[in-house]
C-alpha cells in the first residue's frame, strides 16, 4: 500500500493519491496486466530490474508523479508478505510473514527526481526516499533526509 500526500507535511484522514494497494492495482498485479506509469524520469537500478521483484501471482510495477517543489510531501507506505502455507493430514502450517510500514515526509527540490520505497538492512525495514542522480546514462541513488509524518 502506498499513498502520496503531495504538498502536505502530514498524513490526512482522507485524500491523498492512492499509488498502490487498491483493489484494481492488486488484481492487475495478480494477473500480470498492471503497467508502469512513467513521466520520463531516469531509470534507477530498481526500475531497470523491476521484474526481479515479481512474486508468485504478483507483478511489480512503479508509478511516477509530479510533486510541488520547496514544500513538504508525505508518503504512507505499508508492506506485508503473504505467508507460505501448506496442509498435511488436515493440519495447516504457515511460515513467517514480513511487514514494514509507516509515514514519512520530505521536502523535494525543483528539477530533481526521487524514488521512494522500502530498504532492508538485515531484518530491519526502513521507509526511504532517494534522489535519482543521472550521470551521463548511469544513475545512482542518493539518500534524502526524511522525517516521520504525523497525522493531520
Amino acid at each position: 500500500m502506498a499513498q502520496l500526500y503531495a504538498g502536505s507535511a502530514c498524513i490526512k484522514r482522507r485524500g491523498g493519491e492512492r499509488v498502490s494497494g487498491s483493489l484494481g492495482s492488486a488484481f492487475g498485479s495478480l494477473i500480470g496486466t498492471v503497467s508502469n506509469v512513467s513521466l520520463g524520469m531516469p531509470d534507477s537500478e530498481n526500475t531497470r530490474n523491476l521484474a526481479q521483484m515479481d512474486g508468485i501471482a504478483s507483478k511489480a510495477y512503479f508509478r511516477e508523479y509530479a510533486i510541488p517543489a520547496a514544500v513538504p510531501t508525505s508518503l504512507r507506505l505499508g508492506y506485508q508478505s503473504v505467508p507460505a502455507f501448506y496442509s498435511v493430514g488436515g493440519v495447516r502450517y504457515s511460515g513467517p510473514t514480513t511487514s514494514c510500514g509507516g509515514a514519512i515526509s520530505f521536502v523535494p527540490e525543483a528539477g530533481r527526481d526521487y524514488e521512494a520505497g522500502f530498504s532492508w538492512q538485515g531484518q530491519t525495514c526502513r521507509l526511504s526516499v532517494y534522489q535519482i542522480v543521472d550521470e551521463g546514462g548511469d544513475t545512482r541513488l542518493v539518500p534524502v533526509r526524511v522525517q516521520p509524518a504525523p497525522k493531520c
Side-chain angles (χ1 to χ4, degrees):
M1 179 278 305
Q3 286 186 284
L4 171 68
Y5 300 86
S8 177
C10 57
I11 303 299
K12 300 173 184 175
R13 182 180 170 138
R14 296 183 197 256
E17 176 77 28
R18 172 84 55 157
V19 176
S20 72
S22 69
L23 188 56
S25 60
F27 185 70
S29 177
L30 173 70
I31 63 173
T33 60
V34 70
S35 58
N36 300 325
V37 176
S38 176
L39 298 176
M41 291 174 25
D43 279 333
S44 71
E45 187 72 22
N46 293 326
T47 57
R48 274 191 300 274
N49 298 308
L50 197 60
Q52 292 178 358
M53 293 183 225
D54 289 350
I56 297 172
S58 175
K59 179 182 175 187
Y61 63 96
F62 67 84
R63 294 189 174 143
E64 297 175 356
Y65 292 86
I67 57 176
V71 293
T73 286
S74 296
L75 301 159
R76 187 169 64 137
L77 305 168
Y79 164 84
Q80 182 167 348
S81 67
V82 177
F85 66 90
Y86 56 95
S87 179
V88 176
V91 177
R92 182 183 165 127
Y93 298 91
S94 64
T97 63
T98 55
S99 64
C100 181
I104 56 175
S105 180
F106 75 107
V107 179
E109 296 178 28
R112 307 274 170 107
D113 295 314
Y114 297 93
E115 181 174 296
F118 304 99
S119 60
W120 293 89
Q121 295 174 341
Q123 298 292 324
T124 303
C125 174
R126 292 190 176 153
L127 306 181
S128 304
V129 175
Y130 297 94
Q131 179 188 343
I132 304 169
V133 178
D134 188 358
E135 297 174 328
D138 271 345
T139 57
R140 64 185 172 95
L141 297 176
V142 177
V144 172
R145 192 180 133 213
V146 299
Q147 58 189 29
K151 293 180 181 178
C152 295

